[in-house]
Amino acid sequence: MPFGLLKYGFRRHYPARRYLPAVTELKDSYDIVIVGAGGHGLAAAYYLARDHGITDVAVLDKGYVGGGNTGRNTAIVRANYLTPEGVRFYDESCRLFQDLSGELDLNILYSERGHLTLAHTDAALRTMRWRAEVNKHLGVASELVFPAELAKLCPELHLGQDARYPVMGALYHPPGAIARHDAVAWGYGHGAWRRGVEIHQKTEVTGFQRANGRVTGVETTRGTIGAGLVLQATAGSSSVVAAMAGIKLPIRTVPLQACVSVPLKPFLDPIVVSGSLHVYVSQSDRGELVMGGSTDPYGLYANRSTLEFKEGLIAHILELFPFLARVKVMRQWAGMADMTPDFSPVMGLTEIDNYYIDAGWGTWGFKATPVSGKRMAECLATGRQPDILSPFRLDRFQSFEQVGERGAASVGH
Amino acid sequence: MKIMNCPLNGPRNISEFVCGGEVEAMPAPGAADAAWADYVFLENNTAGVVREWWMHAPTSYWFIAERDTRSDEILRTYPASEVFAERQDFAT
Ligand SMILES: Cc1cc2nc3c(=O)[nH]c(=O)nc-3n(C[C@H](O)[C@H](O)[C@H](O)COP(=O)(O)OP(=O)(O)OC[C@H]3O[C@@H](n4cnc5c(N)ncnc54)[C@H](O)[C@@H]3O)c2cc1C
């Protein structure tokens, strides 16, 4: 690589690197059709090609690559969940993330900042201790810290007793990180394409043809194609796409909003979350404060922003960092989060033989992009639910075996 | 500020209301687990016009609203008695 860089530096022209394929015709059929070219769909395609040698694959998206929640999230990666099933799963993803820039030969700007989840009440402190113990048991670095140590980890944080809800302690998770989300989608897309996968943007799936309990064809705005297997990875549109296949999901689509401030000099190293105040904040490499909270109060298929959200968010950010009072918000946006009742995903086999699902990513799915891609690829290639995914199977709600992660995922994403 | 019309209290700020999910027929008390799982956990999650339970929190008043989940438009709100005319008896 350094030699290549030198050669590149001495060239006369600097053509832009092409990440994604030019528009081509759709073939009549594919071994596997993946609906949704977000990080999850593209990562599944990448690992199908890399690990299983399956390259007769088309990834279809109604918009553009990464235009869904993949390009809208606040890019937090962490493994400090509450259930052993969740911790094991997200820990595998963190480990994949740590090597991802090298793997994809693209700098995803993975930046380990440390992740602090503040507790302002005894009850919250108890949950933090619970999470710390579950994490440690599974080899994930997490510990409870108190104000004296917090003052060293994050000197800017207001720790005074004059706050409305003084900080009592925090769950400290050193491997917590942020990354450049677009690069993750482009890197997986590029790697999949280089191995023979087709990526078709502006190609909306409008229905499925079914026969004998199987999906036989995929109807799109560019014609109908045959498919051996189908994987849907459409986040906010999960219920709409699943309904085309006749499947009803435990999912409600709810907007999740976020915003960034004008760029400031670097001052905030860790990612700071407060469940009680419904806020989280980190500082990006460009100096912007990236801020968000919990989902909107009711379901909606729209990406609009609201003033109510910002008022509530900023008021609470100022409780933690009062000196930001005169800083301006620069940009705001929203994504459509596919929320499950237990705050865990829905992954793997469905009641239809050759139809697979990767959904229920709500507000927490960016960090799972590598692991879900890798394990869904395994699931499609073998036709079996991998062990690590079995807690997240779709029919867990029929047997009342939810994987309750609300305590670890409702505000900190 | 978005306004919702409460059948009891008139037009109020949307932040005073809580959404209670789609109006759906409840399974019989002795129905199979699958029917209850469907009722409790599965969602139609319709992209379009839906009929939902809403509550005006300050007065704990439950009513029904029709709303378009694509445009965020509230089409109609009315008392639950328009749909539920009879008392449900849980004793049997
Ligand atoms: C504001 C915000 C902040 C977040 N913060 C975090 C965070 O800090 N950490 C974290 O881990 N997660 C976070 N998330 C969640 C995370 O962004 C998502 O869970 C994740 O990106 C989902 O990826 P995906 O590939 O499944 O979906 P998406 O990236 O949404 O991709 C789905 C794709 O499907 C396409 N599609 C839909 N319907 C059709 C159709 N009929 N035909 C063809 N294509 C279709 C869409 O165009 C879209 O491109 C956040 C989300 C939001 C909105």
Side-chain angles (χ1 to χ4, degrees):
Chain A
M1 185 62 197
F3 201 68
L5 197 62
L6 201 65
K7 247 173 78 184
Y8 183 80
F10 282 115
R11 287 221 308 237
R12 289 244 214 136
H13 304 287
Y14 301 101
R17 177 172 169 189
R18 179 156 205 128
Y19 284 99
L20 298 168
V23 180
T24 54
E25 289 299 309
L26 286 169
K27 291 198 296 182
D28 288 340
S29 81
Y30 298 87
D31 287 347
I32 297 180
V33 172
I34 299 177
V35 189
H40 284 243
L42 294 168
Y46 176 86
Y47 291 107
L48 275 168
R50 194 199 76 171
D51 295 352
H52 306 279
I54 300 173
T55 55
D56 186 23
V57 176
V59 189
L60 315 180
D61 200 289
K62 69 175 177 188
Y64 58 94
V65 160
N69 290 353
T70 296
R72 297 171 184 273
N73 61 65
T74 44
I76 296 169
V77 178
R78 61 188 178 89
N80 58 353
Y81 276 71
L82 180 66
T83 67
E85 297 84 353
V87 174
R88 182 162 81 116
F89 176 75
Y90 293 108
D91 183 40
E92 181 169 309
S93 212
C94 285
R95 287 169 202 276
L96 289 166
F97 253 120
Q98 285 157 6
D99 297 330
L100 205 55
S101 292
E103 170 69 32
L104 300 177
D105 192 18
L106 179 65
N107 191 353
I108 64 157
L109 301 179
Y110 194 69
S111 171
E112 284 190 357
R113 301 293 192 82
H115 185 278
L116 292 168
T117 314
L118 306 179
H120 309 257
T121 61
D122 281 332
L125 212 51
R126 200 158 51 233
T127 308
M128 300 313 157
R129 190 181 293 280
W130 178 5
R131 282 168 67 181
E133 293 310 316
V134 174
N135 286 193
K136 281 188 269 186
H137 186 66
L138 292 161
V140 169
S142 281
E143 59 182 303
L144 213 54
V145 292
F146 294 94
E149 189 152 355
L150 266 174
K152 286 186 222 148
L153 289 168
C154 188
E156 303 76 19
L157 187 62
H158 179 54
L159 291 165
Q161 290 302 309
D162 54 338
R164 180 150 173 225
Y165 301 107
V167 176
M168 294 171 67
L171 178 69
Y172 177 43
H173 177 52
I178 48 177
R180 185 177 163 217
H181 47 211
D182 310 289
V184 173
W186 299 335
Y188 275 124
H190 182 74
W193 170 47
R194 280 293 170 221
R195 288 170 173 80
V197 169
E198 291 184 15
I199 298 167
H200 294 278
Q201 306 183 72
K202 295 203 228 159
T203 309
E204 179 170 359
V205 171
T206 53
F208 296 108
Q209 296 179 339
R210 285 185 284 162
N212 306 324
R214 291 173 70 83
V215 168
T216 51
V218 179
E219 293 163 2
T220 80
T221 44
R222 294 172 58 203
T224 301
I225 53 178
L229 307 177
V230 175
L231 167 64
Q232 76 155 83
T234 53
S237 303
S238 289
S239 301
V240 176
V241 174
M244 294 176 194
I247 299 173
K248 191 173 172 189
L249 299 176
I251 286 176
R252 190 180 292 187
T253 298
V254 188
L256 177 64
Q257 306 189 39
C259 60
V260 297
S261 73
V262 292
L264 306 171
K265 283 185 179 174
F267 73 92
L268 183 65
D269 197 31
I271 303 153
V272 178
V273 183
S274 167
S276 310
L277 297 182
H278 291 273
V279 293
Y280 64 93
V281 56
S282 70
Q283 190 170 22
S284 76
D285 297 310
R286 284 186 295 214
E288 301 159 357
L289 293 175
V290 182
M291 300 173 280
S294 24
T295 55
D296 275 15
Y298 58 92
L300 202 63
Y301 282 91
N303 285 327
R304 58 102 177 86
S305 300
T306 64
L307 178 64
E308 285 100 319
F309 167 76
K310 252 138 283 148
E311 279 179 339
L313 176 80
I314 306 287
H316 283 141
I317 293 272
L318 294 183
E319 296 233 330
L320 301 175
F321 303 101
F323 58 89
L324 295 176
R326 292 187 182 280
V327 172
K328 288 197 163 38
V329 167
M330 185 169 69
R331 267 181 297 123
Q332 59 187 50
W333 68 93
M336 299 187 306
D338 38 335
M339 303 297 290
T340 55
D342 59 358
F343 287 71
S344 284
V346 164
M347 303 178 76
L349 312 178
T350 67
E351 64 215 45
I352 301 175
D353 265 354
N354 61 338
Y355 194 87
Y356 296 77
I357 190 161
D358 177 79
W361 288 111
T363 65
W364 51 86
F366 172 66
K367 71 180 69 59
T369 306
V371 70
S372 76
K374 186 160 180 231
R375 296 307 189 159
M376 283 310 303
E378 181 187 338
C379 187
L380 285 152
T382 62
R384 282 194 308 272
Q385 184 96 0
D387 186 39
I388 196 166
L389 298 191
S390 74
F392 308 123
R393 66 195 183 281
L394 174 56
D395 64 10
R396 70 175 180 275
F397 294 93
Q398 270 74 23
S399 48
F400 307 106
E401 291 171 288
Q402 294 95 312
V403 187
E405 288 289 4
R406 180 189 285 265
S410 62
V411 176
H413 310 313
Chain B
M1 201 56 73
K2 198 172 175 58
I3 303 291
M4 189 176 224
N5 188 34
C6 173
L8 183 65
N9 302 284
R12 311 289 305 181
N13 185 338
I14 190 86
S15 63
E16 292 182 18
F17 296 91
V18 176
C19 179
E22 284 191 48
V23 177
E24 281 191 280
M26 188 164 62
D33 280 0
W36 277 103
D38 187 319
Y39 178 66
V40 177
F41 298 118
L42 304 192
E43 306 263 359
N44 292 317
N45 199 16
T46 309
V49 176
V50 292
R51 202 169 60 146
E52 291 172 320
W53 285 107
W54 280 77
M55 181 187 64
H56 180 246
T59 54
S60 298
Y61 175 73
W62 283 95
F63 59 96
I64 296 175
E66 284 171 15
R67 170 174 90 84
D68 192 327
T69 61
R70 292 161 304 186
S71 62
D72 201 9
E73 230 177 318
I74 299 159
L75 305 168
R76 202 161 90 84
T77 56
Y78 47 90
S81 56
E82 265 190 38
V83 179
F84 298 94
E86 278 167 41
R87 227 185 127 75
Q88 175 105 27
D89 187 8
F90 288 100
T92 51

